[in-house]
Amino acid sequence: MSRSLVDPRPSIPRAYHTDERQAIQKMARDFAMQEVLPIANELDPVHGLIPDSLRAKMGDLGFFGILIPEENGGLGLGVFEYALITEELARAWMSVASIITRSGIAAILDPSQRAEVLPRAARGEWLGAFAMSEPGAGSDIASIRTRADKVDGGWLINGQKMWCTFADQSDGIVVVARTEPYDAAHRHKGIRRFITYKNRGEFPAGCTGTPVRKIGYHGWQTFELSFDDCFVPEDALLGYEQDPSKPDQGFARVAAGMLTPRIHTAARSIGLARGALEDSIKYVQEREQFGHAIGDFQATRFKIATMATEIELCRALMYEVAADVDAGEASDARAAMLKYAAAEMSERVTSEALQIHGGAGYTTDFPIERYWRDARLTKIFEGTSEIMQRLVSDRLLPPTPFR
C-alpha cells in the first residue's frame, strides 16, 4: 500500500486561506530559501552583518512595509500576513526575520513626523532602534532610571540602556526615559518616549555604544548605550500630539505596544523550529548507522513526529491570535500564551534536532546550532517566558500582593 508523504512546510488552513495570502507565503518562502539561507550559512558562523544588498531586496519586495498603510507607501496588510512572512524568513535566519520590525519604529512617531518618515520606512530606507531595557530594569519597565531633563529648546538625556539591537545602523533610536524623578510610590509616572535622529553607522551626539558579546542573534549588533547630556529638541518628545492632556501615558503606550511583537516572536520561534525539523527530516534519510538510515529507527521517527506536532500546534494558535488582532479582537493574554508556548517549543524542537544530528549538530558546518542558539533567545526577549506566565496567570487568578 503506497503512502503519500506530508510536506513539513505549512499551508494556510482553509479558514484563513486566500489566494493573496498563498502568493505572499510562496514569495516569502522562495526569497528565504534562495536569497537568505545561503547568506545566513555563510555569515552567521563568522558573525557577519546582514548585507545592505539583501536589505535592499527586502525593501523592493515590501517586507518593511507589511503593516504600513498603503497611503504611506506600505502594503497595508494585517498581522496575519506579517506572521506568515516572518515564519518563512526565520526558517532561514531569525535576524533577517527580525530586521523587518525596524520599520515599525516609525509608527511610534507623532503624526507630523510619521508623514515624512513612514514612506521611507516602508521601503527600508528609514529603520529605527528601541532603547528601553537598562542594567537594572528589564521586564520591570517601571524601574527605569534614565532621565530626560528639560532645558532651553529641548531635553538632555542621561543614563544607560541595555540590549539595543541595531543602534549603530539605525536612522533613529526611540529612548524610554523619565521626565520626573523616580518615585517608588508612583513608579509609572513620568515615563516618556523620545526620538533621537542620527546618521547610519554613528551614534547620536552625547551617546556612546559598546557591543554586547552575544552567543547568537548574529547578523547585526546589540549595544549597551551610555547617554551623557544627549540633547534632543522639543519635538523629540513623543505623545503630546496624540493627547496633550495626558502627559504620563508613556508607560501605557510602551506596554500596549508589545502585543504584535509577541506574535512576531512566536512566528520567529516557529520558523526556527521548522528549519530544524526540515533539516532533520532530510538528515535522517541520509545518515546511516548499523546498515540502515537512522530515519528507519522508531526512536528517531517518534522524535520527528513529536517535533512536527508541537510546531503545528503553535502555528495553529498563532494563526488564530493573529486573525483575532486583525479583526479588532486582540487579547494580550492570548498573545502571551502564544509567545510562551512557541518560544518553549522552539527551544525543545531545535535541541532535539541537534540531538538527531549527533556530533554534526554541534558544529557550525550545519545550521542546526544556529537555530538552537537563536531559539534560546526567544524565551528571553519581548518578555521572558516567566513574564508571559505572569501575564496569563494574572488573568486567571486574583491579584497578588507582589507588584
Side-chain angles (χ1 to χ4, degrees):
M1 180 178 178
S2 62
R3 295 176 299 136
S4 60
L5 297 180
V6 175
D7 190 336
R9 298 175 301 179
S11 58
I12 303 170
R14 183 178 303 172
Y16 305 112
H17 181 275
T18 66
D19 291 343
E20 181 184 31
R21 284 176 173 170
Q22 184 173 331
I24 288 170
Q25 185 184 56
K26 182 179 185 306
M27 178 265 291
R29 181 174 297 167
D30 291 345
F31 179 80
M33 300 307 291
Q34 297 168 16
E35 301 282 350
V36 180
L37 186 60
I39 291 175
N41 291 340
E42 174 189 354
L43 295 182
D44 185 88
V46 297
H47 302 183
L49 299 181
I50 298 169
D52 290 344
S53 58
L54 184 64
R55 283 160 48 181
K57 291 178 181 178
M58 295 169 67
D60 291 342
L61 291 172
F63 289 155
F64 292 108
I66 301 167
L67 298 176
I68 295 176
E70 290 184 89
E71 58 266 29
N72 296 116
L75 298 181
L77 299 173
V79 175
F80 193 99
E81 289 79 13
Y82 190 47
L84 282 180
I85 292 171
T86 296
E87 180 187 340
E88 296 301 330
L89 295 178
R91 187 265 175 263
W93 199 5
M94 186 175 78
S95 297
V96 168
S98 302
I99 202 172
I100 64 174
T101 68
R102 300 301 161 170
S103 59
I105 301 292
I108 299 175
L109 305 178
D110 287 336
S112 61
Q113 300 172 42
R114 288 202 302 267
E116 190 273 328
V117 173
L118 274 177
R120 294 169 55 203
R123 298 189 296 270
E125 297 170 1
W126 191 99
L127 301 175
F130 193 70
M132 179 176 67
S133 296
E134 297 181 1
S139 299
D140 185 8
I141 304 171
S143 290
I144 67 167
R145 301 301 177 97
T146 297
R147 288 286 304 279
D149 297 307
K150 190 73 180 70
V151 295
D152 288 343
W155 305 79
L156 288 179
I157 299 177
N158 286 278
Q160 284 187 295
K161 292 293 182 182
M162 288 292 296
W163 317 118
C164 187
T165 300
F166 204 55
D168 56 338
Q169 297 299 313
S170 65
D171 299 283
I173 304 174
V174 170
V175 182
V176 181
R178 290 187 176 277
T179 56
E180 299 180 25
Y182 177 82
D183 180 354
H186 304 90
R187 300 192 312 133
H188 305 97
K189 188 175 182 182
I191 295 178
R192 304 305 305 275
R193 299 171 301 171
F194 297 82
I195 177 66
T196 61
Y197 293 105
K198 54 181 283 297
N199 296 321
R200 289 190 178 182
E202 302 176 3
F203 294 104
C207 174
T208 57
T210 302
V212 176
R213 297 187 294 273
K214 304 175 293 184
I215 65 171
Y217 207 33
H218 301 310
W220 49 357
Q221 291 186 302
T222 300
F223 290 87
E224 176 182 0
L225 302 178
S226 295
F227 293 88
D228 184 9
D229 283 348
C230 177
F231 176 81
V232 293
E234 295 275 6
D235 62 359
L237 174 60
L238 304 177
Y240 274 114
E241 289 193 40
Q242 283 89 341
D243 193 345
S245 67
K246 296 180 179 179
D248 296 318
Q249 295 297 300
F251 175 84
R253 289 186 177 121
V254 168
M258 298 302 293
L259 191 148
T260 296
R262 285 170 181 157
I263 298 173
H264 176 255
T265 298
R268 288 182 283 180
S269 301
I270 293 166
L272 288 168
R274 194 183 107 216
L277 171 66
E278 291 177 6
D279 286 6
S280 294
I281 290 174
K282 182 174 184 292
Y283 184 79
V284 301
Q285 295 176 80
E286 298 172 347
R287 172 67 167 163
E288 291 190 359
Q289 289 288 277
F290 308 107
H292 294 271
I294 63 174
D296 290 343
F297 298 114
Q298 188 179 70
T300 305
R301 300 174 76 87
F302 281 11
K303 287 181 187 292
I304 295 291
T306 300
M307 292 160 67
T309 301
E310 291 197 25
I311 293 170
E312 192 66 29
L313 287 171
C314 287
R315 184 183 294 116
L317 179 58
M318 178 182 73
Y319 285 159
E320 186 175 316
V321 173
D324 283 348
V325 173
D326 290 337
E329 300 175 359
S331 166
D332 59 346
R334 285 171 60 79
M337 289 178 184
L338 168 63
K339 196 271 184 186
Y340 168 67
E344 296 288 325
M345 173 278 295
S346 190
E347 187 191 25
R348 287 194 303 272
V349 167
T350 55
S351 180
E352 195 73 281
L354 194 151
Q355 186 72 19
I356 287 172
H357 280 71
Y362 203 66
T363 71
T364 57
D365 296 330
F366 290 79
I368 291 299
E369 58 86 31
R370 177 174 78 244
Y371 300 139
W372 178 52
R373 284 184 286 109
D374 286 350
R376 187 60 183 83
L377 179 60
T378 66
K379 294 175 58 173
I380 298 172
F381 64 6
E382 307 297 356
T384 64
S385 287
E386 291 75 18
I387 290 296
M388 298 303 100
Q389 291 174 302
R390 168 67 184 270
L391 291 172
V392 174
S393 63
D394 280 354
R395 299 300 186 276
L396 300 173
L397 296 169
T400 171
F402 303 107
R403 288 290 175 182

